Amino acid sequence: MPVVLTVLPSAASDDTQLVRRALARDGDAFRTIIKTHNQRLYRIARGVVRNDSEAEDIVQEAYVKAFAHLDAFRGDSSLATWLSRIVINEALGRLRKSRRTVALPENPQAEIIRFPLNPSDDPERTMAQRQILQLVERATDSLPDVYRTVFVARVIEGLSIEETADLLGVRPQTVKTRLHRARALVRKALDDQIGPVLLDAFPFAGRRCERLTSAVMRRLGLES
């Protein structure tokens, strides 16, 4: 009996189809792109600038720039990586500009992103989760820029070594070296096991996700 092989569509082909629809001004395609990538892009932006509202603004500007040059997407890398590079460039540009205009304090106090409370959870457990996440966020914010970006991309966002290297334009070995140092610094700051709670750090969902999506759609003239 002959074996029938089913070829599943690749993520690259999915990206290409989505981009093709967006180039045809398909509003649903734009919305899908934004909602799919909001959290990753926000986390990366915040990992660079360490400020909630600034990170949102960076992501919004990055989307507008990306959509204005969407025909430049060739599919050589994933759409996620392509968008992430634009966010990284926008965030680093903002950071350089801010440092030219004002000296940053040695230990800037970044705004802490509150852990979303679930009323069904045990109050003490919820409070403990919130406190742990605040420690994680503060420890991440305290990392030097060169380590913080790698740490956010690799540990918090979960990109592979190769994806992180591709995103930042460095060698995989450089990512490994920086990540090792970043982890050591975070471990020292926390002095405790942080485990899987990193997956919930820097949340970007619900109303915040909808707000940014609507703002970008309005700027594109696809939503009133």
Side-chain angles (χ1 to χ4, degrees):
M1 182 175 179
V3 177
V4 178
L5 296 177
T6 302
V7 179
L8 298 176
S10 66
S13 64
D14 289 345
D15 285 346
T16 302
Q17 292 173 13
L18 201 56
V19 167
R20 194 173 294 130
R21 287 170 51 202
L23 286 170
R25 302 295 290 177
D26 181 337
D28 288 339
F30 282 108
R31 186 175 291 277
T32 298
I33 292 172
I34 295 167
K35 286 195 169 184
T36 299
H37 301 287
N38 263 351
Q39 178 155 292
R40 169 184 284 191
L41 300 183
Y42 169 77
R43 284 172 165 175
I44 290 173
R46 193 189 180 283
V48 176
V49 299
R50 293 179 286 182
N51 180 277
D52 294 0
S53 59
E54 182 77 359
E56 284 194 43
D57 187 51
I58 286 167
V59 173
Q60 186 177 148
E61 289 300 320
Y63 275 132
V64 172
K65 288 181 179 179
F67 291 144
H69 300 90
L70 203 53
D71 56 349
F73 177 74
R74 297 285 179 259
D76 299 329
S77 58
S78 70
L79 185 58
T81 299
W82 189 75
L83 290 170
S84 296
R85 286 192 188 119
I86 295 173
V87 167
I88 283 278
N89 289 334
E90 179 73 16
L92 291 175
R94 297 283 187 96
L95 201 60
R96 285 192 291 268
K97 184 177 179 181
S98 68
R99 284 174 174 170
R100 283 196 300 268
T101 56
V102 61
L104 292 178
E106 290 186 5
N107 295 303
Q109 293 297 313
E111 181 181 354
I112 298 301
I113 307 168
R114 299 300 176 189
F115 185 82
L117 291 175
N118 184 343
S120 65
D121 284 344
D122 175 74
E124 290 185 4
R125 179 174 177 273
T126 300
M127 183 59 69
Q129 287 177 319
R130 173 181 284 176
Q131 290 171 344
I132 291 171
L133 286 173
Q134 287 180 350
L135 288 174
V136 172
E137 290 166 356
R138 287 192 182 111
T140 303
D141 284 343
S142 70
L143 290 171
D145 296 347
V146 70
Y147 301 128
R148 190 174 65 254
T149 308
V150 168
F151 186 80
V152 169
R154 181 75 182 91
V155 178
I156 294 179
E157 188 50 40
L159 301 185
S160 67
I161 292 288
E162 291 72 21
E163 287 172 326
T164 304
D166 187 32
L167 173 64
L168 301 177
V170 298
R171 295 182 300 110
Q173 186 57 46
T174 302
V175 171
K176 292 178 183 178
T177 301
R178 292 179 183 177
L179 181 61
H180 177 76
R181 179 58 179 159
R183 280 176 166 157
L185 290 170
V186 168
R187 238 182 259 117
K188 182 179 179 182
L190 295 176
D191 195 28
D192 201 0
Q193 294 270 330
I194 54 179
V197 297
L198 280 175
L199 297 175
D200 294 320
F202 309 131
F204 194 79
R207 285 182 296 177
R208 299 180 72 193
C209 179
E210 285 293 341
R211 183 178 68 245
L212 193 144
T213 299
S214 294
V216 174
M217 295 292 284
R218 282 195 300 273
R219 291 183 65 175
L220 294 171
L222 296 170
E223 186 175 277
S224 57

